Amino acid sequence: CLVVFAAGCGFVWAGWQAQTRMADALPAQWEGRDVTVVGVVSGLPQAYDRSLRFEFEVERVETADARVPRRIVLSWWGTGAREGGPAVLPEVHAGERWRFTVRLKRPHGLANPNGFDYEAWLLERGIRATGYVRPRGERQRLDARASGAGYAIEAAREGLRDRLRG
């Protein structure tokens, strides 16, 4: 009886976790529309040749009636990147609180057998939308250090990464 009860509890818990994760999705009507959000850079920003990519934990949505997932991945294109010249990347650090105007979409991965499943990878991390910071939208740093142990750890990791890079 105890084994059956434990298995039943595990099944209910797994179903509840799956429902919670799937419910935090970007509604289809908000794909491709400008939304203003306030939140914290929750992971190490990754610089590329023409853009910067980072995980963002949304604390507040300022656009009326908009619904946005709690965790998203944002890209921020550097100035000059679209003109083909060398891009000047914005300065964004882990643990900072920002207000952004963003354009989001639900994550999609390629259906490539035995290949990397980007959509499943994002789902495992609780990331339910991807998008970019709008070039003419709001971009304001509100706080250099948000409170929270997780943010402090990410900021320390970024500091260590920068020291190792020299």
Side-chain angles (χ1 to χ4, degrees), residues 13-137:
W13 181 81
W16 176 71
Q17 290 292 322
Q19 176 61 32
T20 302
R21 180 77 51 97
M22 297 304 286
D24 189 31
L26 180 68
Q29 67 264 27
W30 286 101
E31 276 192 304
R33 294 175 60 186
D34 288 353
V35 178
T36 301
V37 294
V38 173
V40 179
V41 177
S42 61
L44 294 178
Q46 301 167 351
Y48 298 98
D49 289 339
R50 300 176 354 172
S51 68
L52 188 69
R53 181 175 288 200
F54 52 92
E55 292 181 17
F56 192 71
E57 194 162 320
V58 177
E59 296 176 327
R60 184 174 70 243
V61 180
E62 294 185 344
T63 302
D65 298 326
R67 204 174 117 228
V68 174
R70 182 178 166 164
R71 290 180 48 94
I72 58 178
V73 170
L74 294 175
S75 294
W76 192 348
W77 293 91
T79 57
R82 296 189 187 269
E83 291 81 30
V88 178
L89 297 179
E91 191 169 325
V92 175
H93 300 286
E96 292 180 336
R97 182 171 284 112
W98 284 82
R99 176 181 290 121
F100 290 128
T101 299
V102 298
R103 189 165 284 181
L104 300 172
K105 66 178 184 172
R106 291 179 283 178
H108 299 287
L110 298 174
N112 187 2
N114 300 321
F116 180 69
D117 191 347
Y118 182 63
E119 191 173 345
W121 183 81
L122 290 174
L123 181 63
E124 288 172 6
R125 284 152 184 74
I127 298 168
R128 301 294 290 144
T130 62
Y132 60 94
V133 177
R134 295 288 289 155
R136 289 181 178 79

